[in-house]
Amino acid sequence: MSERRPEFHEHLDGIRQGIAALSATVTELIPRATDVLLDSDLEGAAYLIAGDDEIDERSRALEEECFTQLALQQPVAGDLRQLVSGIKILADIERSADLCANIAKAARRIFSHPLDPRLRGGIQRMGDQGALLFKQATEAYLHGSQTLSAALKDIDAYMDSLHSDFIATIFESHSDGSIDLQVGVQLGLVARF
């Protein structure tokens, strides 16, 4: 840390901590969204959807702080990379919170439609893997760990495999009459989220 710019580096640390805290919030949303879907929890769905605005606001405030520091401090090298990375990461975090809200909306649309155990298991596995992926990504960012960053590719590849399996399960469940087309479409969207 430069002794000549301690206040700037305090701002950078605050931004990093804010991003990590926001990411941790979204990490907690993933299992909540999964439970809302699996439990047909309309009250939980409403809570997740309403809470998305707060995450949007926190993300905007952190992004604005990044831009302010870029404009006022004219950072170079690692400091510049940290701010630019923060801006990009914030967009992904905010989008992930939106996707959790979208899962809650899908849960409302398929309310009272039973899901067979194969579908429920697929949803649970994807939810668990999504939370793990987000947690590891947050840790990798917060600690600047290349080792954790490298592991993210494997976790993501496994998530892609779960997605493919789940889509196949949706088609099988529709073919055998376990779910109707509307539920199948909603679950396909959930898989994408």
Side-chain angles (χ1 to χ4, degrees):
M1 178 187 319
S2 170
E3 293 303 320
R4 297 181 310 153
R5 295 173 45 154
E7 186 177 325
F8 170 57
H9 285 96
E10 286 176 19
H11 282 287
L12 288 180
D13 288 343
I15 290 168
R16 186 172 51 254
Q17 293 299 322
I19 290 171
L22 188 60
S23 184
T25 299
V26 175
T27 300
E28 293 172 5
L29 286 180
I30 295 169
R32 283 188 193 165
T34 302
D35 290 345
V36 160
L37 181 63
L38 291 174
D39 298 341
S40 297
D41 180 1
L42 293 178
E43 185 177 325
Y47 178 79
L48 281 176
I49 293 164
D52 187 51
D53 289 340
E54 177 191 339
I55 291 172
D56 291 347
E57 182 53 40
R58 288 172 59 192
S59 178
R60 271 192 295 274
L62 284 164
E63 187 176 84
E64 187 175 302
E65 179 65 15
C66 288
F67 283 119
T68 298
Q69 294 306 312
L70 281 170
L72 296 178
Q73 300 295 329
Q74 300 176 358
V76 294
D79 295 338
L80 177 62
R81 283 190 298 275
Q82 185 175 338
L83 287 169
V84 171
S85 296
I87 293 166
K88 290 181 174 252
I89 290 167
L90 282 165
D92 287 338
I93 293 170
E94 191 274 329
R95 180 66 183 138
S96 295
D98 290 344
L99 294 175
C100 287
N102 288 345
I103 290 169
K105 291 174 185 175
R108 292 194 312 193
R109 288 190 288 271
I110 65 170
F111 178 74
S112 79
H113 291 275
L115 301 177
D116 67 47
R118 297 171 302 169
L119 291 169
R120 296 177 68 76
I123 291 166
Q124 187 65 62
R125 283 187 296 279
M126 286 192 308
D128 293 345
Q129 194 67 14
L132 175 64
L133 183 61
F134 228 83
K135 182 179 184 289
Q136 292 286 88
T138 302
E139 291 293 318
Y141 169 74
L142 188 58
H143 301 294
S145 172
Q146 292 181 357
T147 304
L148 287 174
S149 294
L152 293 175
K153 288 183 183 182
D154 293 335
I155 297 170
D156 189 51
Y158 182 60
M159 182 65 137
D160 291 344
S161 171
L162 290 174
H163 176 266
S164 296
D165 292 347
F166 187 67
I167 295 297
T169 302
I170 292 170
F171 282 111
E172 291 167 10
S173 294
H174 178 63
S175 292
D176 68 21
S178 298
I179 58 171
D180 64 25
L181 183 59
Q182 176 62 22
V183 172
V185 168
Q186 291 303 313
L187 291 176
L189 290 172
V190 165
R192 184 169 167 250
F193 302 150

